[in-house]
Amino acid sequence: MKDRKAVVRCGSRSAVRLADLALLVRAPAALSVPGDVIAGAAAAGRPLGVRTLGVIGSSVCLYWAGMALNDYADATVDAVERPERPVPSGRVPRRTALAVAGGLTAAGIGLAAAAGGRRSVGAALPLAGLVWAYDLKLKSTPAGGFAMAGARVLDVLAGAVVPGAGAPSVGVALRRAAVPAGLVGVHTGTLMALSRHEIGGAPVRVPVATLAVSAATAVATAIPGTRIDVASAGNGRRSSAAPSWLVAQFPAPLRGVVGAVPSKFRTAVTAAASLAYLGTYGTAQARAVRAPSAENVRSAVGAGILGLMPLQAALTARGGSPAVAAALGVVHPLARRLARRISPT
């Protein structure tokens, strides 16, 4: 009875265990996805509602699709470098990995359409395109890192453009979410730089550079933000928390500062989450600086995938939702525990 529940039929001849499908899509790593959407929604002043949850579901599906497609595309390389993975080990047929990727992509776009209509599909379609382009073509090229960083940026922006009562226009929402989206993209760039050296180890200059960028990202995230409203300063609408020095660069009519002094709770959560981000990801990179072996680089990549969660929490608090950010922070220890069973890389 248990065996019947633990398998999924894939045609008349094969059955794939659910545990192997979870390994194929790196299931626990998807816990790093909701925070992207939530950070974007917070920056745009959107409440966490049913539509936002639908977009989160869409992004999770597209993330899992990318993982399955990655193993489909890398089957030959993995047979040599990572033979224990589901596809090269034969536990998941290669055609099944492709079917899973296609099905999850369709589900992701469908969820986006159901949750946010044309606005959300407008983010989901290019996100899906980047995922497929990266896995099938761009991964081994210099454009690969930019494609993956772009996918995470789109993930944040997908949260910002969720429609609903009182939602800003798409243009305003994108401007409000530009800072958190950019910081998430920069973080992803450091991950991609490290991931190129997971098998053979890295020159010491690589983890040195990524650690410096991660430290700068943490500092930029912790800088107290000031809300600006580009479109309707006089309406008291919320906008993204941009750094005070950035606000000063806008012409006076565009500043429209609302609540210039951040609350102590918001500031405390932002600072704590930024420190947690640097403590998690930065510590792993520091080990790779001391000994840039393949094992230490892989550990840094895994820490960076999961370390995205405290960064998202910091950005969410900075955007004006410290209580939601605190809840996101609780997910990080859970994800780390699950990662011991299923590797996020």
Side-chain angles (χ1 to χ4, degrees):
M1 190 70 173
K2 289 182 180 179
D3 290 341
R4 291 178 185 172
K5 291 182 179 179
V7 300
V8 175
R9 294 287 171 184
C10 302
S12 58
R13 296 184 179 180
S14 63
V16 179
R17 293 192 315 140
L18 289 176
D20 290 326
L21 287 177
L23 288 169
L24 177 72
V25 301
R26 327 290 199 273
L31 290 172
S32 71
V33 174
D36 284 343
V37 177
I38 292 170
R46 302 290 300 127
L48 184 59
V50 174
R51 288 181 181 273
T52 306
L53 294 176
V55 172
I56 288 173
S58 168
S59 292
V60 168
C61 285
L62 293 176
Y63 183 91
W64 281 341
M67 290 297 188
L69 188 64
N70 173 80
D71 281 16
Y72 164 81
D74 286 356
T76 302
V77 174
D78 285 346
V80 176
E81 296 180 351
R82 297 182 176 182
E84 74 283 356
R85 281 186 168 177
V87 172
S89 67
R91 303 194 309 276
V92 176
R94 192 174 181 222
R95 66 180 181 275
T96 300
L98 180 61
V100 168
L104 285 169
T105 299
I109 294 172
L111 278 171
R118 287 195 297 180
R119 286 174 59 136
S120 293
V121 170
L125 281 176
L127 175 54
L130 274 178
V131 167
W132 282 73
Y134 171 80
D135 281 330
L136 297 180
K137 186 68 176 178
L138 299 178
K139 183 189 303 182
S140 58
T141 73
F146 294 101
M148 187 54 64
R152 281 289 186 174
V153 167
L154 283 171
D155 218 17
V156 176
L157 298 180
V161 301
V162 175
S169 68
V170 171
V172 171
L174 294 179
R175 285 194 291 272
R176 290 176 175 179
V179 171
L183 290 172
V184 168
V186 168
H187 166 80
T188 306
T190 66
L191 277 177
M192 299 311 300
L194 288 169
S195 69
R196 293 182 178 277
H197 303 281
E198 287 185 276
I199 302 302
V204 70
R205 67 178 183 276
V206 174
V208 166
T210 61
L211 178 57
V213 172
S214 297
T217 299
V219 170
T221 301
I223 293 174
T226 309
R227 292 192 174 284
I228 61 170
D229 194 329
V230 176
S232 52
N235 293 339
R237 287 188 182 179
R238 293 167 45 157
S239 65
S240 69
S244 302
W245 59 264
L246 180 59
V247 176
Q249 310 308 313
F250 283 89
L254 299 184
R255 291 180 189 169
V257 176
V258 179
V261 180
S263 71
K264 291 183 179 180
F265 180 50
R266 173 180 154 190
T267 302
V269 173
T270 302
S274 298
L275 286 173
Y277 162 70
L278 193 57
T280 300
Y281 189 29
T283 300
Q285 290 176 93
R287 283 196 295 269
V289 169
R290 290 194 297 270
S293 64
E295 181 181 359
N296 284 341
V297 171
R298 278 196 300 274
S299 295
V301 172
I305 292 173
L306 299 179
L308 183 56
M309 282 176 262
L311 176 62
Q312 293 161 340
L315 292 170
T316 299
R318 192 168 174 275
S321 300
V324 176
L328 278 175
V330 175
V331 177
H332 185 226
L334 172 63
R336 293 179 66 180
R337 200 169 296 117
L338 290 173
R340 297 190 187 103
R341 300 182 63 182
I342 298 179
S343 172
T345 65

